[in-house]
Amino acid sequence: MPEMKAMEFTDKLNLQPVTRPVPEPKAGEILIQVYATGGTLTEKLWYTTSHYADGSTRSKAIPGHNSQASLQG
């Protein structure tokens, strides 16, 4: 399975480099390849970094927004 490199938040909300499998898009989703992305110092304080929409705890979030990417299909 193809792998990708990413930065993810640890349970203590520190960033660490990781290698993850490239996700398979589900119905209604698309896959993009990100070349570069921006982050902010406050991103680790955002509720969506540590929780899912249903309120359950989330860990190992991959931060980033305003990405430079291409559509993969």
Side-chain angles (χ1 to χ4, degrees), residues 9-10 13 42-52 57-64:
F9 283 114
T10 65
L13 296 178
T42 60
E43 196 164 349
K44 69 181 188 177
L45 305 176
W46 297 350
Y47 187 77
T48 54
T49 299
S50 58
H51 294 81
Y52 290 106
T57 303
R58 176 182 185 188
S59 65
K60 303 184 188 262
I62 297 176

Side-chain angles (χ1 to χ4, degrees), residues 14-50:
N14 296 313
L15 284 173
Q16 69 178 7
V18 295
T19 302
R20 293 253 190 101
V22 173
E24 289 288 327
K26 298 175 184 150
E29 295 180 339
I30 60 170
L31 182 65
I32 60 169
Q33 181 175 0
V34 176
Y35 299 101
T37 190
T40 68
L41 296 175
T42 60
E43 196 164 349
K44 69 181 188 177
L45 305 176
W46 297 350
Y47 187 77
T48 54
T49 299
S50 58

